[in-house]
Amino acid sequence: MWDPLFATTVAPGKKANDKISFSDNDKEALLKDFTDIEMTFRVYDSDDWSADPVALETVHVYPLGQDKATTYVREPQSTDTVIVDNDQISIIVTGYRTADLYLVNKTDKCLMFSTDDVSVNGFMCDPLFATTVAPGKVSFSDMNWFTSSLEENGISKVEEIELTIRVYDYDNWSADDIYKETVTLNP
């Protein structure tokens, strides 16, 4: 999964040409050969965001031809920290540039991966993090903290991150959590 930058407003009876921009250099380095690009376009009334979409279409683009399409498989690394790997999800810490994550959705539901009650070195410090992962898809993500939040708490080096990881059905917020555990990470 990759959330590119794309949104355009088109007035009634008009047309527009626009570009989809992929801006994460880390993912570009990991995924050198794009063989199957699946995109879902949601067209909606910009004056009424609560209305049903005018169109919701998923398309595939095969830059090298459909017969050469492959599925990305991430090989486990000795430096990985596996938080959970069960029949529904996997959450793997792949590094600590921030808190780099590899998320796997093994269900037929769109899942939200989020955190609660996050502390860094014993100080409450919420990260910028919440990621949706479509059914059967994977995503590279990361938890980032504002530098000012760390500085205000005198944190120059992250030694411990304690957090509650919560994974739930994005389309049914009243359903039971698929996963909710408190974990401690020591970068």
Side-chain angles (χ1 to χ4, degrees):
M1 300 260 330
W2 200 340
D3 290 322
L5 301 173
F6 177 75
T8 190
T9 302
V10 182
K14 303 299 179 188
K15 301 175 189 176
N17 289 312
D18 212 335
K19 294 180 182 177
I20 299 173
S21 299
F22 296 89
S23 62
D24 191 330
N25 292 332
D26 292 339
K27 290 178 187 170
E28 287 179 35
L30 279 168
L31 307 171
K32 296 181 191 313
D33 296 321
F34 296 98
T35 62
D36 179 2
I37 302 170
E38 178 183 314
M39 298 180 278
T40 300
F41 292 92
R42 183 173 74 95
V43 180
Y44 59 91
D45 181 347
S46 63
D47 293 326
D48 185 2
W49 288 25
S50 64
D52 289 337
V54 175
L56 184 64
E57 297 291 330
T58 298
V59 298
H60 282 265
V61 176
Y62 301 102
L64 305 175
Q66 188 171 356
D67 61 320
K68 293 187 175 64
T70 60
T71 300
Y72 175 76
V73 176
R74 182 184 179 276
E75 296 297 326
Q77 304 296 312
S78 62
T79 54
D80 288 350
T81 301
V82 178
I83 294 173
V84 60
D85 184 18
N86 61 32
D87 62 338
Q88 296 181 308
I89 61 167
S90 294
I91 302 173
I92 301 167
V93 179
T94 61
Y96 288 101
R97 182 179 44 96
T98 52
D100 304 318
L101 303 170
Y102 181 66
L103 309 172
V104 181
N105 179 353
K106 302 173 189 175
T107 74
D108 60 355
K109 300 172 179 70
C110 185
L111 298 181
M112 172 64 76
F113 292 73
S114 65
T115 59
D116 291 320
D117 303 324
V118 180
S119 69
V120 176
N121 296 358
F123 290 93
M124 297 306 291
C125 197
D126 290 325
L128 300 169
F129 175 76
T131 301
T132 57
V133 181
K137 303 296 182 194
V138 301
S139 179
F140 287 96
S141 189
D142 53 29
M143 282 185 273
N144 289 294
W145 287 265
F146 286 113
T147 303
S148 59
S149 295
L150 298 175
E151 289 172 350
E152 288 167 4
N153 291 300
I155 299 169
S156 57
K157 180 181 178 191
V158 176
E159 296 173 358
E160 179 185 87
I161 304 167
E162 183 177 300
L163 65 155
T164 300
I165 297 176
R166 183 173 172 232
V167 182
Y168 55 91
D169 183 340
Y170 179 78
D171 296 314
N172 184 0
W173 293 8
S174 64
D176 290 340
D177 289 342
I178 290 171
Y179 179 83
K180 185 174 184 179
E181 293 290 332
T182 299
V183 299
T184 301
L185 303 172
N186 299 100

